Structure formats: structure tokens, C-alpha cells
Amino acid sequence: DIMVNNHYLRSVCLILLTLLSAVVAFSTPRPAASAAAAASSTAEDNTYLNKEQLEFSIAYLNEHHKTDVLLPFVKAFSDLGTTAIKKNAWIGGSYQIIDASITDITQDELCLDASIKQGEKIKTESVKVHLDSDPVAGMKRTYPTLPPCNPMHLNHASKQPIDNFVRRMNRLCNIVKAYSATGKMIQLGVQMGGKGVGKLNDDMYLNQVPHNRFVRKYFYDMASDAALDATILCSKKQFTNRMKMTVMFPEMNPSMDSYRIGTLLELARSIAIKLAEQNLRVRVCVQGSMGVGIFTGVPKQLNGVHTLLQRMDWESEPGEENDGMVGDYVRFGFVGKEHVINAQKSEKEGEPDVEQDDVFLLICPQNMIGLESSIIGSLSEMVDAAGDRPVILLNPDLVDKVSAQGQQSIRGRQARIDFASSFETIFQFQNIYYSGTSYFPILGSVVKLGPLEPWVAHQRRDLMNNDGEVYLPVYASETAPENEVLMSTFAK
């Protein structure tokens, strides 16, 4: 009996231990499963594009851009391109990359499957193209490289991953000369919920002058925001203090009979007020009379502008919206180092200290035909006196003009060109017109909507049944577009 009871107890204990082990095993995650779950969670947290953006981008590129984008990418940015050059050097056409499809898009790479025909055999190889790639050896002559996109610029312009992807893709497209695809990439970013990089409002009707006041305000607001953004970047040492803005819609173009001086002054006022609202003291300057002796004058475009600036309504009277702004935060002057005011302690008791100018806004500085003096001298002295404070040129024309003794054509010309080139564009809107003597109808525009934004060209298109007009992106790059490249992207 004792032996039977011991056997029975031993069996019961074994059963209980087995059940306990099963419970513990069930309640404790396996190390492999735990690691997989953690990896999955990390992958979700680090997703570059969301599911909709990823699926649509892959499908769109595979369906519409195999020939002009994906195949050149594989040839230019992967080792398959180098292999093709080496093998085809012996027998031309013996090694061909005949197809390419995207399988995945990560934060740094495009994952592609490339089909290769070698003789009668066709095989598929997986390749990866880095989004900041340079052409591989052997392809650099065919596809000259471009500087990579600055991560700070990308993040500042838009924190949306789809916009980051679009701009880096456009750099690669420009390298392989797929210029027309860059405009489609901009449209892709807008369609997939991006910030709207390079997007313009529809139905501006710039062919109609005078423009609607809401259209003018649209440009004033964009230019003012760009000026403030550039000023903030300059204060952080992330952008140069030499800046320029080109705003050339029809009412701002002095070579057209639609030019309106009031629009120029309203734009200058909008920019100055925007900066002054941030407690920045702005000096609004117009160039004075140039020349020697009786051969003096000011450009026709600027005739009377200095007086008009001071007489226009700044809403700065007591009780108005900008009470006390003019004279304290907005001041007026001319182009020249003597108009750069630095902070000074008052020598007389009871008088306020002199506050320095923080930003200088110069309206349309330009050279004049026939004069032996250039605006560059006075302008460069003023820029030097300003130090590291922002100097913003609004619609400058610093190109040498014809002069009697050739002073603006020969002497010191390269130094003047270098000085003019030292100003970085922080905003640009410039219409493009059909060739010929007429400025109408408008073909499109070239824009840069902020100091760290890309350059985008648009083609203007009328909707059917006079339902309006749209500005459709057709080209984009990180640098100002060349005319030949630009015109090749416009639909005939």
C-alpha cells in the first residue's frame, strides 16, 4: 500500500509540474517573438511615407515613369550601370537593362527590381538607389552630378516626408535629365497631402489689369512672409544677410504699360510692416540722384518714390493700427553708407538713445543708361556699413548699362558682377510670355516662394468653357532654371 501511495503521489506531482510549466510558458513571451514585435513597432515609428503615400507613389512611378526615370536611375546610380559599360565595351548591346520597377521606398533609398538581358537570357536583380546618390563611375560624364539637398533646408521648408521625398527625387531627375518628370513630382507631393511646395493659387487672371486687390494682397503676403523667414534665418546664421526679391507680375513690371507705382509702394509697405511687427527697425531706402555735374538724375521708375513713400498711408497716426510705427520702427533714407544708423547713447540728458536699424529694404536699386557712375559703389559701401544685418533688394537691376566712356562696360566689370551675384534670392515670382513683342497672353511663371524653397516653373492653362485658369507645375529644381531646360518642359 505504501508503494502504491508513493507512486500515486509521484504521478500527481509530475502532472502538477507539467501544468505549471505550461502556464508559465504561455504567459511569458518568447524572446524571438518579443524581438520581432519590437522591430515591427520600431519600423512603424520610423515610417518614411504613410501607407497611402507609399502605395500610390510606387504605383504611379512604375506605371508612368519607367522609361524616363526608373531605367536611367538604375543605369546612373547603381553598379549595374558600371557593369553595362564594361561588358558593352567589348560587344555593344550584349548587356542591356531593359526594365525597372520600384518595390519599396525607405527614408534613404529606392528599392528596385531590374530586368537584365544578356544574350538570350533575361534575369532580375534587386538594386538600391540612395536618394542622395551621385552617378557611379563611368556615368559622371553622361550625367553630371548636382549638390545634394541640404537636410536643414528640406526640414525648414516642410516637415512633411512626402515633400522631402519629392525634392530629393527631383534632384535625381535633374541629374538624369528627366526634366519633365520634376513637375509631375511636385504635383505628386501636393496630391499626396504635402505642404503644397511651389503651389500657386488658381484664377489669378494676371492677364487682366488692373489686378484684383485680393490678388495683390496674395503676392504682398507671400513676399512679406519670405522676407521675415529670411531675416529670422539670417539671425540664426543659417542664411546670408545679402538678399534679393524679384516680384514681376504685370503691375510690377516697369517695361510694361500695365506698370503701377502704387503696387510697388504697397508691396514695400507690406514687407516693412511685417518686419516691424516683430520689433525690427526697418530702413526703407531709395537711391538718390546719380551722375556728375549737370548729368545727374534718378531712374524714371523711381522718380518721386522717396516722397510718395513718406506721404502714403501707413496707418501710423495716434489711435490707428500701426500707431507710432513710422519714425520709430519704420524709417526712410537713401542708398549709401551715411544712411546706415547704428545704436548710439544720447549725449544730452533727457533725450532718448538712438536705436540702430535692424533691416534695410532697398527699393529697385539700378544703374542708368548714359551715366558714368554705377549704383554698385554706393550700394557696396552701404552693405559693408550694415555688417551682418539683413540687406534686402527689392526688384534690383544691377546689370551694367551703356555709358559714353564705357565705365559701366569695362572698368571693374567683373568685381561688379561678383558683387551682384552675392545676393541670394529669397522670393521670386516672374511671368513668362510667348515670344514676340506682346506681353500677353501669359505662358506661365517661375517662382521661388521662400529662401529655402525650390524653384518651380508653372504653365498657365485655361479651363474649358471659361471656367477659370490654373498654374500647373512643369519643372522644379534647387537652383534657378536655365531657359533651354525651362522651355523644353512646356507643353506646345
Side-chain angles (χ1 to χ4, degrees):
D1 292 339
I2 293 173
M3 292 179 64
V4 171
N5 289 336
N6 288 340
H7 180 72
Y8 176 76
L9 289 172
R10 190 181 298 112
S11 300
V12 171
C13 289
L14 287 172
I15 292 171
L16 289 174
L17 286 172
T18 303
L19 290 173
L20 183 61
S21 299
V23 170
V24 171
F26 181 78
S27 61
T28 304
R30 295 181 181 180
S34 225
S40 175
S41 175
T42 303
E44 290 180 2
D45 292 342
N46 293 333
T47 299
Y48 185 46
L49 305 179
N50 64 38
K51 183 178 179 181
E52 180 186 3
Q53 292 170 344
L54 179 63
E55 291 178 351
F56 186 90
S57 298
I58 291 174
Y60 172 75
L61 289 169
N62 285 338
E63 183 175 352
H64 298 284
H65 291 288
K66 280 194 175 186
T67 305
D68 62 335
V69 174
L70 301 186
L71 276 173
F73 276 16
V74 172
K75 295 175 183 177
F77 305 117
S78 78
D79 291 336
L80 294 181
T82 304
T83 303
I85 291 174
K86 291 178 179 178
K87 296 200 172 185
N88 290 330
W90 295 100
I91 303 176
S94 63
Y95 188 95
Q96 300 179 43
I97 304 170
I98 59 175
D99 193 22
S101 299
I102 293 182
T103 58
D104 194 14
I105 300 171
T106 69
Q107 186 169 355
D108 294 315
E109 295 175 325
L110 299 175
C111 302
L112 302 102
D113 283 342
S115 298
I116 302 158
K117 183 178 181 182
Q118 192 169 9
E120 298 299 323
K121 297 180 179 179
I122 297 177
K123 63 178 182 178
T124 300
E125 287 194 23
S126 296
V127 297
K128 293 183 178 181
V129 173
H130 199 283
L131 287 173
D132 298 317
S133 289
D134 290 319
V136 296
M139 285 293 180
K140 293 183 178 180
R141 182 173 296 180
T142 305
Y143 301 121
T145 191
L146 295 171
C149 299
N150 188 316
M152 188 276 288
H153 292 190
L154 296 177
N155 190 56
H156 181 85
S158 173
K159 298 187 184 303
Q160 299 287 342
I162 187 67
D163 293 328
N164 179 290
F165 170 68
V166 164
R167 290 182 68 172
R168 295 163 79 189
M169 278 289 290
N170 278 343
R171 172 184 172 267
L172 299 181
C173 289
N174 275 294
I175 290 175
V176 300
K177 301 179 175 60
Y179 302 125
S180 296
T182 60
K184 304 291 178 56
M185 292 294 105
I186 292 292
Q187 296 177 48
L188 173 68
V190 173
Q191 186 175 349
M192 287 289 97
K195 175 188 171 184
V197 173
K199 187 179 185 303
L200 292 175
N201 279 359
D202 299 334
D203 300 331
M204 291 190 290
Y205 298 113
L206 296 179
N207 277 324
Q208 299 177 6
V209 289
H211 301 322
N212 187 296
R213 63 190 179 94
F214 297 106
V215 172
R216 291 179 191 147
K217 188 176 186 305
Y218 172 62
F219 286 110
Y220 299 163
D221 290 345
M222 285 196 298
S224 301
D225 289 342
L228 177 59
D229 191 17
T231 301
I232 293 173
L233 287 170
C234 179
S235 69
K236 297 178 180 178
K237 309 298 183 184
Q238 295 176 351
F239 201 79
T240 179
N241 71 315
R242 299 186 181 189
M243 314 170 188
K244 66 178 178 180
M245 310 177 73
T246 303
V247 189
M248 282 289 179
F249 54 91
E251 281 190 357
M252 289 285 291
N253 193 333
S255 63
M256 300 173 64
D257 57 8
S258 58
Y259 177 66
R260 176 177 178 266
I261 188 64
T263 304
L264 173 64
L265 297 176
E266 289 168 2
L267 174 60
R269 178 178 63 185
S270 177
I271 295 171
I273 290 176
K274 184 77 172 183
L275 296 171
E277 286 175 344
Q278 306 301 316
N279 294 326
L280 296 170
R281 287 179 165 78
V282 185
R283 175 76 60 177
V284 184
C285 301
V286 182
Q287 71 187 66
S289 181
M290 295 195 310
V292 180
I294 62 172
F295 300 103
T296 60
V298 296
K300 184 179 180 180
Q301 179 187 359
L302 299 177
N303 190 24
V305 167
H306 187 265
T307 302
L308 291 172
L309 268 175
Q310 299 178 67
R311 291 183 179 179
M312 69 187 302
D313 184 12
W314 289 80
E315 297 184 354
S316 184
E317 297 299 322
E320 294 186 316
E321 182 177 357
N322 303 319
D323 186 352
M325 181 177 289
V326 172
D328 191 2
Y329 285 92
V330 177
R331 306 161 180 170
F332 306 103
F334 292 98
V335 175
K337 62 181 180 181
E338 61 274 14
H339 294 276
V340 175
I341 304 301
N342 299 313
Q344 299 175 8
K345 288 285 185 180
S346 176
E347 297 180 355
K348 297 182 180 180
E349 188 176 349
E351 289 188 0
D353 296 336
V354 176
E355 300 289 346
Q356 75 169 12
D357 298 321
D358 298 313
V359 183
F360 301 89
L361 177 62
L362 280 56
I363 300 178
C364 304
Q366 56 193 280
N367 293 315
M368 291 179 63
I369 295 176
L371 292 183
E372 292 306 320
S373 57
S374 169
I375 188 63
I376 297 293
S378 300
L379 182 57
S380 62
E381 290 177 355
M382 186 174 190
V383 171
D384 290 340
D388 59 357
R389 287 172 283 179
V391 177
I392 304 174
L393 310 185
L394 176 58
N395 287 358
D397 181 10
L398 304 181
V399 178
D400 283 349
K401 300 296 189 342
V402 177
S403 56
Q405 298 177 20
Q407 182 172 329
Q408 289 192 58
S409 302
I410 301 173
R411 305 172 203 166
R413 185 168 184 267
Q414 188 58 52
R416 292 194 294 273
I417 292 174
D418 292 342
F419 175 76
S421 301
S422 68
F423 289 85
E424 295 285 340
T425 298
I426 61 172
F427 180 86
Q428 174 157 327
F429 179 94
Q430 190 159 14
N431 284 124
I432 303 171
Y433 304 93
Y434 287 96
S435 60
T437 57
S438 174
Y439 286 104
F440 295 96
I442 293 172
L443 175 61
S445 64
V446 177
V447 305
K448 180 180 172 70
L449 301 182
L452 303 182
E453 297 279 342
W455 293 78
V456 182
H458 300 78
Q459 184 167 7
R460 189 190 68 86
R461 294 183 180 175
D462 294 312
L463 300 178
M464 294 179 62
N465 303 320
N466 295 321
D467 282 341
E469 66 173 16
V470 296
Y471 279 78
L472 194 66
V474 294
Y475 178 70
S477 70
E478 295 298 315
T479 56
E482 298 178 0
N483 289 337
E484 292 182 4
V485 171
L486 191 62
M487 297 312 297
S488 69
T489 62
F490 280 76
K492 306 301 183 201

